[in-house]
Amino acid sequence: MNLALSDPDWGAACQLRSQLYGWFSTVFAREMEPAAMALCQGGGADHLLVVFKALGLGRQADAVAAVFKAWAGHPDAPLENAADFAALFLLEGRAAPIPYASHYLEEGGQLYGEPARLMRAFLESSQLRLDAQFKEPEDHIAVILAALARWSREGGRANDVAACAGEQAAYLDAALMPWVAHWQALVDGVDTLAFRFYPAVAGLLVAFLHLDREYLRSFEAGG
């Protein structure tokens, strides 16, 4: 990921990464509100899609943009998209793409396992806490991404850039990379959805994670 092509400064790159991670976190945290969907239909997310295309993720970004257009032709799109969210992320089962790290990393797919405990400890050590209205375990993908968004924003002021980049890369390797591709494949495999919004964003996220990991690891060799 050569963010330096458009943002030669680490601080600027971190602000951009924070914005992207924050958007992903918001998408997977809860059903999209009708107002947010209308904003996307009206071009409110176009600046993000432009960034993804500049990073070489044009195919994935176009898939998301196509859903924005599809929403416009359906007056019940908010209800149908909310039903898609519930079908994907709120129903339990071995084949369900529920968004918890423990489901993929714990034997038997148990929830509230070691990944949740480790994420809870990470949040406490970072002096972060979940919103009281967010009734999900700490290893929910939205929480992991929100922590990355916060860390990216604050990391832009780091004195030791290589160390900060290395820590974020290690976090990616521990918290997301071992299971996120499996999760994304399950999301993509659900064929009963009214819209392909969440599969499209999940595919975009996984592609971006690989680019971001490459970008962060590049600092190990001095850039």
Side-chain angles (χ1 to χ4, degrees):
M1 179 185 190
N2 194 357
L3 279 171
L5 290 175
S6 56
D7 289 309
D9 177 72
W10 162 255
C14 282
Q15 291 301 309
L16 175 60
R17 293 174 57 246
S18 177
Q19 185 179 17
L20 299 181
Y21 277 122
W23 180 71
F24 282 125
S25 176
T26 298
V27 167
F28 293 116
R30 57 182 58 88
E31 302 95 331
M32 287 191 76
E33 297 289 338
M37 293 177 64
L39 183 65
C40 291
Q41 292 176 57
D46 286 358
H47 64 294
L48 299 177
L49 300 182
V50 167
V51 172
F52 288 123
K53 289 182 179 183
L55 296 173
L57 303 179
R59 177 177 60 83
Q60 294 88 347
D62 286 343
V64 175
V67 180
F68 294 161
K69 292 181 180 179
W71 284 343
H74 294 267
D76 293 329
L79 289 176
E80 293 178 347
N81 199 66
D84 287 347
F85 184 94
L88 286 167
F89 308 129
L90 301 181
L91 301 180
E92 295 186 10
R94 281 188 172 274
I98 55 178
Y100 313 125
S102 294
H103 179 67
Y104 304 92
L105 302 180
E106 291 285 282
E107 184 176 354
Q110 297 298 312
L111 302 182
Y112 302 97
E114 183 68 3
R117 187 193 69 78
L118 291 173
M119 191 63 199
R120 189 179 311 118
F122 174 81
L123 293 174
E124 291 176 355
S125 67
S126 303
Q127 297 183 324
L128 300 175
R129 63 177 60 185
L130 298 183
D131 189 310
Q133 296 182 344
F134 189 73
K135 306 298 185 181
E136 299 286 355
E138 289 85 354
D139 61 341
H140 190 290
I141 193 168
V143 177
I144 298 172
L145 294 169
L148 270 167
R150 171 77 174 269
W151 197 354
S152 297
R153 183 175 67 252
E154 295 180 349
R157 301 187 295 271
N159 293 323
D160 190 338
V161 171
C164 184
E167 290 170 354
Q168 291 186 36
Y171 175 88
L172 277 177
D173 286 342
L176 279 173
M177 303 310 283
W179 64 277
V180 72
H182 182 191
W183 168 78
Q184 185 263 325
L186 291 177
V187 172
D188 196 58
V190 177
D191 59 6
T192 57
L193 305 175
F195 299 104
R196 300 295 294 175
F197 175 64
Y198 293 106
V201 179
L204 180 60
L205 170 62
V206 172
F208 175 72
L209 287 173
H210 284 285
L211 286 179
D212 196 38
R213 183 184 181 280
E214 180 183 348
Y215 171 69
L216 294 169
R217 288 297 185 194
S218 71
F219 288 91
E220 294 177 353

